[in-house]
């Protein structure tokens, strides 16, 4: 099955017992719980990205350090997940938040997918909604180690010597022209810029796969290319990893991303194209 599912496919999966997780979240705003309570896919359980898909950390660990495997497992159980469950995550930001959950649970060995187009696609397809919270009991899911496809800061620094390191932030942040969040503007030396938003159509769904494949090829990425991804804090980079997986390409993720790099003394900074 594809890593991305349509609203119609999600309806069929729900009928077969799939578990749905709502991961609405946007940088600079409070979590999406209020939006969830106003309306969500029936039976969906809310996931707090900042509190459950990351952990508190020092500045030199980045803004959204990965949770430990044990922390994520506890969270998965609190979402009523059991071993063998099929999981579908959605958001209202083109999949960029839901992909964080996809990446983490996939590392843990879960059969997990993302709703293409998210909440808006569900509503556009005539999907039902419900308001308020959902009553559910704790699950018993057991996760594998979730760190296998992540890079340390030193591994990220060395990656351009052997593959393509994609910086998926906006081009002006990559070039060092502006930096609204982190202390230093620029990018990791040797990185190539390809904003993850380039792959998202106006309706929030993934663009045509041939078009997306061509865009990656222009950035030097093909099926036999070692590739790693980073962003500001390791969230939207997971979306690029999701799209690459849809193309049959496995990518490493630098979870600390630019927020870790720019808060670590002594790290070189590149600017421009």
């Amino acid at each position: 099955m594809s890593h991305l599912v349509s609203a119609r496919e999600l309806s069929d999966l729900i009928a077969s017992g799939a578990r749905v997780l709502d991961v609405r979240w946007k940088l600079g705003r409070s979590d999406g719980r209020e939006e969830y309570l106003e309306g969500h896919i029936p039976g969906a359980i809310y996931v707090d990205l900042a509190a459950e898909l990351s952990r508190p950390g020092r500045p030199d660990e980045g803004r959204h350090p990965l949770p430990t495997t044990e922390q994520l497992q506890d969270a998965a159980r609190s979402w009523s997940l059991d071993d063998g469950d099929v999981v579908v995550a959605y958001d209202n930001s083109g999949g960029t938040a839901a992909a964080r959950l996809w990446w983490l649970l996939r590392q843990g060995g879960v059969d997990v997918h993302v709703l293409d187009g998210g909440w808006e696609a569900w509503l556009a397809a005539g999907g039902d909604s419900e308001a308020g919270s959902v009553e559910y009991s704790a699950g018993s899911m057991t996760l594998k180690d979730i760190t296998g496809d992540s890079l340390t800061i030193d591994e990220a620094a060395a990656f351009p010597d052997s593959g393509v390191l994609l910086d998926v932030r906006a081009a002006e942040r990559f070039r060092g022209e502006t930096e609204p969040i982190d202390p230093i503007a620029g990018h990791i030396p040797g990185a190539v810029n390809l904003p993850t938003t380039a792959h998202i159509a106006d309706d929030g769904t993934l663009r045509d796969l041939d078009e997306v494949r061509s865009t990656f090829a222009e950035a030097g990425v093909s099926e036999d290319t070692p590739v790693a991804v980073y962003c500001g804090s390791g969230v939207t980079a997971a979306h690029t990893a999701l799209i690459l997986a849809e193309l049959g390409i496995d990518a490493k993720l630098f979870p600390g991303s630019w927020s870790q790099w720019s808060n670590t003394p002594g790290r070189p900074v590149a600017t421009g194209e």
Side-chain angles (χ1 to χ4, degrees), residues 55 57-65 232-233 255-257 259-260 263:
R55 59 173 173 79
R58 304 183 311 273
D60 64 358
E61 292 181 286
R63 284 193 306 278
H64 295 106
S233 65
S257 287
S259 58
Q260 180 179 16
N263 278 286

Side-chain angles (χ1 to χ4, degrees), residues 10 36 64 69 111 117 148 226 262 268-269:
L10 177 54
Y36 167 82
H64 295 106
T69 301
D111 185 1
S262 61
V269 173

